[in-house]
Amino acid sequence: MKKIDSSKFKILIVKAFELLNEKRDIVDSLNVFPVPDGDTGTNMTMTMKSGVDKVKSIDTSSCYEIAKLLSQGTLMGARGNSGVILSQLCRGMAKAIKGKDTISALEIKEIFKVANETAYKAVMKPTEGTILTVSRLMAEEAENSYIDNIDIDKYLLKIINKGQKALLDTPNLLPVLKEAKVVDSGGQGLMFLLEGALKALNSDIDIETDLSKLEIKDIPSKSYNVDLILLIDEDYKILEEKFYNISSSLSTNIDNGLLDVSFDCDSLNDLYDIIKNYDVIKLNIENTNPDVLANINVNKKPSKKYGFIAISRGEGYDKVFESLNVDKIISGGQTMNPSTEDIYKAIEKIDSENVIIFPNNKNIIMSAKQACDLSEKNCRVVETKSIPESFSALLSFDESQSLDKNMENFNEAIEDVKVCEVTIAVRDTNVNNISIKKNEYIGIVDNKIVTSKKTIDRTAKDTLVKAVDEDTSLITIYYGEDVDDKEAKKFSKSIEKKFKDVDVELIYGGQPLYYYTITLE
């Protein structure tokens, strides 16, 4: 094959997505830490699906137009660091074939080169042994293997074989991968995408039939903001997940059997099916078409100097953010990273001169920054890696100070916080010379595993013994949704006895997956 036309290009993108979607659990399982929040595969799949949604909406003879829509979709749908990097690879591909109706081997060489350069530029401190390394070595192979008139399938096979070798070598470049006995998860996700495309290259596939199997929703012309209150008599978490699946910027609150829900969505088709069996106390739907809003908001002065966005995952955490006057609380965190578009929409809804974002997870920081880049508003990202860090930062806020001074205060407050976490191991492994068994518990201090025990309390206590030092004056314990109130109070009292010279506070966080998140100040 010497040329790829727009129809074939479209199906390559679809098949790449399909294989990644099929293998997403494998990618998720490659988390370095054996904790139940591996989400690289999920993030890359959801990012790619946003691009495929866009691609399906166009009928064109131009490969560039397809690549441009893929870039736009993945940019707005990017979730997590891996999703942001994937969106930048797609952006580079679109730049490389600007104006091209078909793709030859020469364009493929340029695609790998420009995609790699674009992705590296998007990361402030590139780390070797990651998806970036896999991308770079494939770009080098594309350059070295290119000859005039080479068959595309043979050329791609050479490049992808080089990528596979690079992926297998990632543990030799990153010691944490070698210790955990895994390859880089983002690199593996990228290889699944390319493998899916390669398999489809010479397949005889009917483009319309194949795309219909994906059941991808048409791109809606309007967006909506939904506020509703339901009377429920069951576990609201099940209902919350249903809303999460059709929405962005989800906010929920439960009080005396009343579930208060607010979210954005691009279609109302699934809303009725979710709520039809419940008593609806309140339902308000607002059309938030950005074209209409743009005409309304021209020359309108912001109503206040500062506005705040926080990513939260837990009923108790949400209430703390509300008490700290956070304007928009976006549901997300481990395993459920919000997209760039989720954060962007929240930015656009805040009527303030400055917008400050607390991502509260290391895997959301890049998406938050990308959302800021897309907005014309004055946005800043405080690089919080946990929710309690943002509490400390917000308590240092002074409205009379400048944005730069407040950012300085936020960062100083974060530096003074040590974060401990307790969760469960999902596989046997060895990390930091600690032998970890599946279904035992793990203690983490500032993102480093420090202990593993057979019970939650023993793990939490041992974690604190290793973390508390002579400068510690306050221990704040946030307990998760799987910890009983009585057990949490009992644990808190035992910590008071253990560390008699330190103040201890107990707060319900309601976070999933992590039994305790504990801050030391």
Side-chain angles (χ1 to χ4, degrees):
M1 182 180 290
K2 303 298 182 183
K3 296 277 186 180
I4 296 173
D5 63 14
S6 60
S7 294
K8 177 61 78 170
F9 187 42
K10 209 172 190 181
I11 206 64
L12 295 185
I13 292 169
V14 170
K15 286 300 178 183
F17 164 74
E18 282 187 333
L19 186 63
L20 176 62
N21 188 40
E22 179 186 329
K23 305 287 189 180
R24 64 195 288 183
D25 289 345
I26 294 174
V27 180
D28 280 344
S29 71
L30 294 175
N31 195 2
V32 171
F33 282 0
V35 294
D37 62 358
D39 52 10
T40 301
T42 299
N43 284 337
M44 294 184 76
T45 301
M46 295 182 76
T47 299
M48 193 67 184
K49 185 182 183 302
S50 295
V52 174
D53 283 354
K54 287 277 191 181
V55 167
K56 181 180 179 286
S57 72
I58 190 173
D59 183 13
T60 178
S61 60
S62 167
C63 285
Y64 167 61
E65 290 300 324
I66 292 170
K68 186 169 70 171
L69 281 183
L70 179 68
S71 174
Q72 291 172 357
T74 54
L75 182 74
M76 295 304 290
R79 296 173 186 267
N81 296 341
S82 57
V84 172
I85 293 172
L86 176 57
S87 74
Q88 293 300 317
L89 290 169
C90 292
R91 181 183 175 206
M93 178 171 68
K95 286 161 58 177
I97 60 171
K98 187 173 182 179
K100 301 289 183 180
D101 289 337
T102 60
I103 297 172
S104 68
L106 182 61
E107 278 77 49
I108 289 173
K109 177 167 73 79
E110 195 68 11
I111 283 171
F112 278 94
K113 175 177 178 286
V114 179
N116 178 66
E117 291 172 349
T118 305
Y120 262 90
K121 287 177 183 176
V123 180
M124 289 187 63
K125 295 180 181 179
T127 301
E128 293 303 323
T130 66
I131 183 175
L132 293 174
T133 303
V134 176
S135 166
R136 176 175 59 79
L137 291 175
M138 284 194 293
E140 291 177 6
E141 182 65 24
E143 181 70 34
N144 296 334
S145 296
Y146 176 78
I147 57 174
D148 289 339
N149 212 34
I150 188 172
D151 284 340
I152 288 176
D153 49 355
K154 292 179 181 177
Y155 186 42
L156 276 175
L157 186 59
K158 282 177 174 284
I159 297 169
I160 293 172
N161 279 339
K162 183 66 174 182
Q164 189 62 36
K165 290 177 181 176
L167 174 66
L168 295 175
D169 192 48
T170 54
N172 295 322
L173 298 175
L174 263 184
V176 291
L177 295 176
K178 193 166 192 174
E179 190 176 19
K181 297 180 181 178
V182 294
V183 297
D184 177 66
S185 55
Q188 179 65 82
L190 178 60
M191 294 315 300
F192 281 143
L193 283 169
L194 292 172
E195 181 187 340
L198 184 63
K199 284 181 176 179
L201 187 60
N202 289 311
S203 300
D204 183 16
I205 300 170
D206 185 294
I207 182 78
E208 295 304 325
T209 301
D210 198 78
L211 282 173
S212 68
K213 293 176 184 176
L214 286 177
E215 299 181 355
I216 299 172
K217 296 177 182 177
D218 291 333
I219 304 300
S221 58
K222 295 181 179 180
S223 296
Y224 305 91
N225 178 256
V226 179
D227 290 296
L228 64 90
I229 298 176
L230 301 177
L231 180 64
I232 65 172
D233 58 0
E234 61 183 58
D235 182 0
Y236 83 97
K237 292 292 182 183
I238 299 172
L239 193 54
E240 183 184 51
E241 290 299 321
K242 292 180 181 179
F243 285 120
Y244 185 88
N245 289 333
I246 68 165
S247 68
S248 63
S249 307
L250 178 67
S251 174
T252 61
N253 183 53
I254 184 74
D255 186 23
N256 292 326
L258 293 177
L259 179 63
D260 191 343
V261 185
S262 176
F263 60 85
D264 297 330
C265 64
D266 289 322
S267 172
L268 300 176
N269 294 340
D270 297 322
L271 180 60
Y272 173 73
D273 288 336
I274 295 175
I275 68 175
K276 63 183 179 182
N277 295 323
Y278 297 92
D279 292 325
V280 180
I281 308 301
K282 168 190 171 185
L283 176 60
N284 182 59
I285 300 174
E286 177 188 1
N287 182 345
T288 57
N289 187 320
D291 294 332
V292 176
L293 292 179
N295 295 328
I296 297 173
N297 291 330
V298 171
N299 297 324
K300 182 176 178 291
K301 286 188 69 175
S303 62
K304 58 182 180 177
K305 187 176 180 180
Y306 290 104
F308 299 101
I309 298 170
I311 315 301
S312 179
R313 190 64 178 156
E315 179 187 351
Y317 283 146
D318 291 351
K319 289 181 178 178
V320 176
F321 279 127
E322 289 167 4
S323 73
L324 293 170
N325 299 315
V326 169
D327 299 81
K328 287 289 181 182
I329 301 171
I330 302 175
S331 182
Q334 285 89 353
T335 74
M336 298 178 75
N337 295 159
S339 68
T340 296
E341 184 175 17
D342 293 338
I343 301 171
Y344 171 78
K345 284 184 175 180
I347 293 170
E348 296 304 296
K349 284 188 175 183
I350 294 180
D351 185 19
S352 65
E353 182 182 339
N354 304 291
V355 179
I356 299 169
I357 305 171
F358 298 92
N360 300 329
N361 187 296
K362 65 179 181 180
N363 209 29
I364 301 176
I365 292 171
M366 287 183 69
S367 297
K369 288 183 175 180
Q370 188 158 272
C372 285
D373 291 340
L374 291 170
S375 176
E376 294 183 1
K377 291 191 175 182
N378 192 28
C379 302
R380 295 286 185 89
V381 176
V382 185
E383 295 189 16
T384 48
K385 297 180 177 68
S386 70
I387 291 173
E389 285 179 337
S390 61
F391 296 157
S392 297
L394 282 162
L395 289 171
S396 72
F397 171 65
D398 185 345
E399 189 169 6
S400 67
Q401 297 286 348
S402 68
L403 176 59
D404 287 341
K405 182 59 178 176
N406 270 306
M407 287 297 294
E408 182 182 325
N409 292 341
F410 293 152
N411 291 322
E412 286 179 0
I414 292 169
E415 287 178 4
D416 292 337
V417 179
K418 190 181 291 184
V419 180
C420 306
E421 297 166 302
V422 177
T423 186
I424 194 168
V426 294
R427 69 172 187 270
D428 293 350
T429 190
N430 192 80
V431 177
N432 299 328
N433 294 319
I434 298 169
S435 179
I436 298 168
K437 298 296 182 184
K438 182 178 179 179
N439 294 329
E440 289 189 353
Y441 300 94
I442 305 169
I444 304 169
V445 178
D446 288 342
N447 208 37
K448 180 180 179 182
I449 293 178
V450 298
T451 189
S452 180
K453 302 291 182 184
K454 292 184 178 181
T455 69
I456 296 172
D457 277 15
R458 283 183 60 200
T459 305
K461 287 175 184 176
D462 195 39
T463 302
L464 284 174
V465 166
K466 296 178 186 302
V468 172
D469 57 30
E470 59 184 13
D471 295 325
T472 304
S473 59
L474 173 63
I475 297 174
T476 306
I477 303 167
Y478 300 90
Y479 63 101
E481 64 180 5
D482 295 321
V483 179
D484 182 76
D485 289 349
K486 291 181 180 179
E487 287 300 315
K489 290 174 182 177
K490 181 180 175 183
F491 172 70
S492 177
K493 289 187 179 298
S494 71
I495 296 304
E496 289 177 356
K497 292 179 181 178
K498 180 72 176 176
F499 304 100
K500 295 179 180 179
D501 297 329
V502 180
D503 293 329
V504 178
E505 291 184 358
L506 179 67
I507 299 172
Y508 176 61
Q511 68 272 15
L513 305 180
Y514 287 76
Y515 302 98
Y516 291 110
T517 298
I518 306 169
T519 59
L520 310 182
E521 298 175 72

